[in-house]
């Protein structure tokens, strides 16, 4: 059964999806009008494709933060392929707005080919991740795909700023930096603003790389992915509508501005009011007194659980070197029966779990706790206290007993 969680993250992504669908529909309407008038439709048609991909990314992101922790992984596999599709159209839009320079025709085709290769790579890896989920396995995206996204974002900025200089010099020849600072002409001014707006995509690429290298916590990534694109979409739409020739009436522009502004406010307001509600929550229900539970094998092949007197043993034993992305293997002096099967090897993880027979990596626990048998009673993220030498993971191995302690 699906469980839904509505949070500031999910509200922001839902607003992004609504905004993208609205813009995509209007761009499709404009494209149809241009076709009827037999005028150029390249840039507007490319924006339809861009917002289609962005809509898919927003919907999959909404499902990622709204579904329960297991089902959300299906949506995660679709996020980056949809974003890659949007990048393909956006790069071509940068070449074709307001028109394609003849000297860059082959360059645009090469860029199209390379961006399609990137999109195909993201799509194949997304299918691969979905296939692994059927076997209760989870894989992170390789760092090379984050680097490819960052390269596409950087190249997008180069195209836009170079286009700004070209369009500005059609009105008045100036040095390149002056053309960027003070572009001449409405189109040059709009393209320069597009470049400034889409620097956020470069920023999001950097955030993804920082997340993969553990420079930033996941919470920062979630906030930036939900808020920055929302603001960027709003700014981009308003800039594009302002740059269009007289094909949109004043009433249409007014409604567009109002819709974008209202949706942007709705997306931000969740982040403004959520902290006040969280501060009002009492931590008391979360504070549990020390307790011990005994799991005893029963005749049905399962385990009976009953509370027992807390008996904390001061002799922790020997500290072991186990790290967040690693596991510690230990052989037992006795056969350990777990659900009727005997094991002589255990794997101790930094995150408070023990698996039997083979390692249980942290990403495997994200989808129904993985397919490896184990004890996941503590499963959480632990941090060793750098100011406390006693902090860490300890084992005490007796002839008929093994005690594992995650201490302080």
């Amino acid at each position: 059964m699906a469980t839904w969680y509505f949070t500031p993250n999910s509200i922001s992504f839902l607003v992004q999806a609504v905004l993208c669908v609205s813009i995509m529909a209007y761009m499709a309407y404009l494209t149809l009008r241009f076709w009827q008038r037999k005028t150029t439709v390249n840039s507007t048609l490319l924006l339809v494709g861009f917002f289609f991909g962005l809509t898919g990314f927003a919907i999959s992101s909404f499902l990622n933060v709204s579904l329960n922790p297991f089902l959300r992984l299906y949506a995660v596999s679709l996020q980056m392929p949809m974003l890659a599709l949007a990048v393909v159209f956006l790069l071509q839009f940068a070449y074709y707005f307001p028109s394609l320079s003849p000297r860059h025709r082959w360059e645009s085709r090469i860029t199209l080919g390379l961006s399609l290769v990137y999109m195909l790579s993201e799509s194949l890896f997304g299918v691969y991740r979905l296939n692994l989920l059927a076997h209760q396995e989870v894989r992170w995206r390789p760092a090379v795909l984050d680097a490819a996204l960052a390269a596409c974002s950087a190249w997008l900025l180069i195209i836009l700023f170079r286009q700004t200089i070209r369009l500005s010099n059609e009105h008045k020849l100036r040095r390149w930096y002056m053309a960027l600072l003070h572009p001449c002409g409405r189109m040059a001014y709009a393209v320069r603003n597009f470049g400034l707006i889409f620097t956020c995509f470069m920023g999001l690429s950097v955030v993804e790389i920082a997340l993969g290298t553990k420079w930033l916590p996941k919470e920062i990534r979630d906030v930036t992915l939900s808020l920055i694109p929302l603001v960027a979409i709003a700014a981009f739409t308003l800039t594009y509508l302002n740059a269009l020739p007289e094909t949109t009436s004043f009433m249409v522009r007014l409604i567009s501005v109002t819709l974008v502004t209202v949706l942007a406010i709705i997306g931000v307001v969740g982040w403004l009011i959520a902290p006040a509600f969280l501060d009002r929550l009492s931590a008391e229900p979360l504070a549990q007194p020390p307790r011990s539970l005994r799991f005893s094998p029963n005749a049905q092949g399962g385990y009976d659980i009953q509370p027992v007197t807390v008996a904390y043993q001061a002799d922790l034993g020997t500290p072991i070197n186990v790290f967040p992305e690693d596991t510690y293997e230990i052989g037992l002096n006795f056969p350990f029966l777990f659900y009727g099967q005997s094991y002589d090897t255990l794997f101790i993880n930094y995150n408070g779990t023990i698996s039997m027979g083979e390692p249980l990596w942290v990403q495997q626990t994200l989808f129904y706790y993985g397919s490896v048998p184990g004890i996941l009673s503590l499963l959480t993220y632990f941090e060793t206290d750098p100011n406390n030498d006693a902090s860490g993971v300890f084992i005490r191995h007796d002839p008929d007993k093994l005690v594992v302690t995650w201490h302080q």
Side-chain angles (χ1 to χ4, degrees):
M1 189 174 107
T3 303
W4 296 83
Y5 301 90
F6 287 95
T7 64
N9 256 340
S10 62
I11 294 172
S12 295
F13 284 127
L14 183 59
V15 168
Q16 283 184 38
V18 173
L19 185 58
C20 289
V21 168
S22 303
I23 297 171
M24 180 177 63
Y26 184 66
M27 294 301 172
Y29 165 73
L30 283 182
T31 302
L32 182 61
R33 287 184 58 187
F34 288 142
W35 264 335
Q36 292 173 344
R37 297 179 181 181
K38 297 182 180 180
T39 56
T40 305
V41 297
N42 288 337
S43 61
T44 310
L45 186 60
L46 289 169
L47 281 185
V48 174
F50 167 65
F51 280 106
F52 175 80
L54 210 56
T55 299
F57 175 73
I59 292 175
S60 57
S61 298
F62 167 73
L63 294 175
N64 173 30
V65 297
S66 300
L67 289 173
N68 73 46
F70 304 133
L71 294 178
R72 75 174 188 87
L73 292 174
Y74 290 105
V76 170
S77 302
L78 301 176
Q79 275 183 300
M80 298 312 295
M82 296 306 299
L83 184 60
L85 177 63
V87 167
V88 170
F89 284 105
L90 186 59
L91 285 169
Q92 293 305 302
F93 169 79
Y95 279 108
Y96 278 89
F97 182 81
S99 61
L100 175 65
S101 173
R103 60 186 295 189
H104 295 142
R105 187 176 302 278
W106 277 104
E107 180 186 300
S108 70
R109 294 174 181 175
I110 294 172
T111 300
L112 175 62
L114 293 176
S115 61
L116 286 174
V117 169
Y118 165 63
M119 186 194 74
L120 181 62
S121 302
E122 289 280 14
S123 301
L124 290 176
F125 191 75
V127 172
Y128 172 64
R129 293 171 88 178
L130 287 172
N131 182 59
L132 288 179
L133 285 180
H135 301 87
Q136 292 184 294
E137 293 186 36
V138 179
R139 287 288 185 275
W140 307 130
R141 284 176 66 254
V144 65
L145 292 180
D146 289 331
L149 178 60
C152 289
S153 303
W155 187 242
L156 171 67
L157 298 183
I158 292 174
I159 299 171
L160 289 172
F161 290 139
R162 186 180 62 189
Q163 190 87 320
T164 301
I165 297 170
R166 178 179 72 86
L167 293 171
S168 182
N169 286 340
E170 289 178 357
H171 293 270
K172 183 179 180 181
L173 288 175
R174 289 187 297 178
R175 295 184 182 274
W176 66 269
Y177 57 86
M178 290 301 297
L180 289 176
L181 290 175
H182 304 287
C184 294
R186 182 170 63 176
M187 291 302 177
Y189 186 78
V191 174
R192 194 281 306 269
N193 288 344
F194 290 156
L196 296 177
I197 292 168
F198 285 124
T199 52
C200 71
F201 279 92
M202 187 66 185
L204 292 177
S205 304
V206 173
V207 167
E208 286 290 336
I209 294 174
L211 180 70
T213 54
K214 309 301 181 184
W215 292 351
L216 285 178
K218 182 178 180 296
E219 291 75 13
I220 299 296
R221 183 250 195 189
D222 289 340
V223 173
T224 55
L225 272 182
S226 61
L227 282 184
I228 292 181
L230 184 62
V231 176
I233 293 170
F236 172 78
T237 305
L238 297 179
T239 303
Y240 184 75
L241 289 177
N242 190 55
L244 285 177
E246 295 303 322
T247 56
T248 53
S249 66
F250 172 77
M251 187 57 66
V252 170
R253 297 190 188 206
L254 180 61
I255 293 173
S256 302
V257 171
T258 303
L259 175 64
V260 169
T261 304
V262 170
L263 289 177
I265 291 174
I266 293 174
V268 174
V269 75
W271 291 103
L272 296 178
I273 65 176
F277 283 96
L278 292 176
D279 290 341
R280 291 168 58 185
L281 290 177
S282 172
E284 211 171 290
L286 302 177
Q288 296 288 341
R291 59 178 177 168
S292 291
L293 299 174
R294 179 183 296 277
F295 291 73
S296 306
N298 56 35
Q300 289 74 35
Y303 288 82
D304 295 328
I305 308 171
Q306 58 183 352
V308 296
T309 304
V310 176
Y312 187 80
Q313 301 178 12
D315 182 10
L316 302 179
T318 306
I320 60 174
N321 293 322
V322 57
F323 304 100
E325 300 299 330
D326 199 2
T327 185
Y328 184 87
E329 181 179 356
I330 183 170
L332 299 176
N333 300 330
F334 53 90
F336 178 69
L337 290 175
F338 189 69
Y339 281 96
Q341 186 170 346
S342 179
Y343 297 93
D344 57 10
T345 303
L346 300 183
F347 293 86
I348 301 171
N349 292 323
Y350 187 85
N351 61 351
T353 65
I354 299 175
S355 60
M356 291 79 181
E358 60 181 289
L360 176 65
W361 305 110
V362 62
Q363 66 264 34
Q364 291 177 286
T365 64
L366 298 177
F367 191 72
Y368 293 102
Y369 305 114
S371 58
V372 178
I375 300 173
L376 285 64
S377 57
L378 297 178
L379 181 57
T380 189
Y381 179 77
F382 289 114
E383 289 186 358
T384 304
D385 186 354
N387 300 318
N388 187 351
D389 294 335
S391 176
V393 184
F394 296 79
I395 60 171
R396 198 182 77 196
H397 205 169
D398 297 335
D400 60 347
K401 182 169 61 175
L402 174 68
V403 179
V404 183
T405 306
W406 288 264
H407 186 60
Q408 296 185 0

